[in-house]
Amino acid sequence: MNIASIKDQVSAEEWQLRVDLAACYRLVAAYGWSDLVFTHISARIPGPEHHFLINPYGLMFDEITASSLVKVDQQCNKVIDSPFPVNPAGFVIHSAVHAAREDVQCVLHTHTRAGVAVSAQKCGVLPLSQQSTFVLASLAYHDYEGVAFREDEKPRLQADMGQANFLVLRNHGLLTVGKSIADAFLSMYTFEATCQIQLAAQAGGGELVHVNPLIVKGVSEAMRVQTGGLGGAFVWPSLIRKLDRMDESYKT
């Protein structure tokens, strides 16, 4: 799309964050989690300004590059000029989470069929799989209030989410947060798998076996052991290698 590079206009730290966030968008597209142009992944730029990066509204996820990401403040004012708009609904949800969670660098939101289907089930996420145990250990729910473009929804969303890392947006989709882009992506991978497995198990028609609740209580230690204490950073390098084999243009 001939988007000019802004690498020389930002710090090395911000540029690396841009590359990682663009990679995350491309990976979401590669795994089939995108909804044309209608969901978002945001990343907070370290520093006191509370600026963050979000997708240029109107670009497909497999078109997004490090330079095309839009840098905005908490009021959705562009910090660096961009020809692309920002989706107001996406901004409300993401800015609400970033404002309430100083521990969060990345917020990832999807509208996948499996995620929306489970979000519409009264039971919510069920303890049916190993994947579900990781989700249930840090899960919250937020009721649907229509397309999220109203500022008055923010405090309710923040209160519902609390300190959870997984959020079911009822009748809407899934949301994960992470201390890094890699953590948020790994959490969404687990969340999406949980929902797909649940729907497949329910479709089988037989009686379902639930995981013992005591196992869910001990899942944090299990995750630490499984990733060597690295969380999403354990798998991120291999995901980047996978993406580089497909298309390296996200780095521009």
Side-chain angles (χ1 to χ4, degrees):
M1 297 184 64
N2 299 317
I3 297 170
S5 174
I6 64 166
K7 185 175 182 179
D8 60 352
Q9 300 178 41
V10 301
S11 67
E13 184 178 32
E14 180 178 330
W15 181 253
Q16 185 57 57
L17 190 68
R18 284 175 171 273
V19 171
D20 285 339
L21 185 57
C24 191
Y25 274 102
R26 298 291 186 100
L27 288 164
V28 166
Y31 279 93
W33 305 340
S34 60
D35 181 20
L36 295 180
V37 301
F38 298 111
T39 58
H40 311 278
I41 314 166
S42 61
R44 181 177 176 181
I45 299 170
E49 299 87 357
H50 217 114
H51 294 160
F52 60 95
L53 302 170
I54 197 163
N55 54 309
Y57 194 40
L59 266 63
M60 301 288 279
F61 281 18
D62 60 3
E63 295 180 305
I64 291 175
T65 63
S67 294
S68 69
L69 291 163
V70 184
K71 183 177 180 178
V72 296
D73 62 18
Q74 274 289 90
Q75 288 70 48
C76 203
N77 300 308
K78 294 178 185 178
V79 178
I80 296 177
D81 188 43
S82 170
F84 301 103
V86 175
N87 180 13
F91 178 77
V92 166
I93 292 173
H94 287 252
S95 63
V97 176
H98 283 289
R101 295 286 298 273
E102 289 290 331
D103 60 315
V104 165
Q105 181 182 63
C106 182
V107 179
L108 201 169
H109 172 41
T110 62
H111 296 162
T112 63
R113 285 171 173 77
V116 176
V118 170
S119 79
Q121 294 185 350
K122 189 172 183 179
C123 62
V125 176
L126 296 172
L128 300 179
S129 63
Q130 178 169 272
Q131 289 84 347
S132 73
T133 64
F134 297 114
V135 173
L136 289 164
S138 187
L139 178 63
Y141 294 85
H142 176 65
D143 286 340
Y144 187 61
E145 299 187 24
V147 177
F149 58 81
R150 299 189 313 277
E151 288 287 319
D152 68 293
E153 185 176 356
K154 283 185 176 184
R156 292 185 292 276
L157 189 151
Q158 292 166 337
D160 287 339
M161 184 163 195
Q163 294 302 304
N165 293 326
F166 300 85
L167 179 67
V168 171
L169 295 160
R170 289 287 193 185
N171 311 102
H172 184 172
L174 309 178
L175 186 146
T176 61
V177 300
K179 294 181 179 179
S180 68
I181 291 168
D183 284 347
F185 181 86
L186 179 58
S187 291
M188 186 56 75
Y189 183 89
T190 305
F191 210 176
E192 176 65 19
T194 293
C195 293
Q196 290 186 16
I197 291 166
Q198 178 166 320
L199 295 176
Q202 291 169 325
E207 184 177 357
L208 301 177
V209 177
H210 286 206
V211 174
N212 188 318
L214 293 177
I215 293 175
V216 176
K217 289 185 178 180
V219 77
S220 295
E221 175 63 13
M223 175 60 87
R224 188 193 67 79
V225 171
Q226 190 134 346
T227 64
L230 297 175
F234 183 73
V235 297
W236 191 248
S238 62
L239 288 165
I240 293 298
R241 292 193 299 271
K242 174 187 178 72
L243 188 57
D244 286 349
R245 290 192 295 271
M246 296 165 59
D247 182 358
E248 292 186 310
S249 66
Y250 70 93
K251 298 177 181 179
T252 60

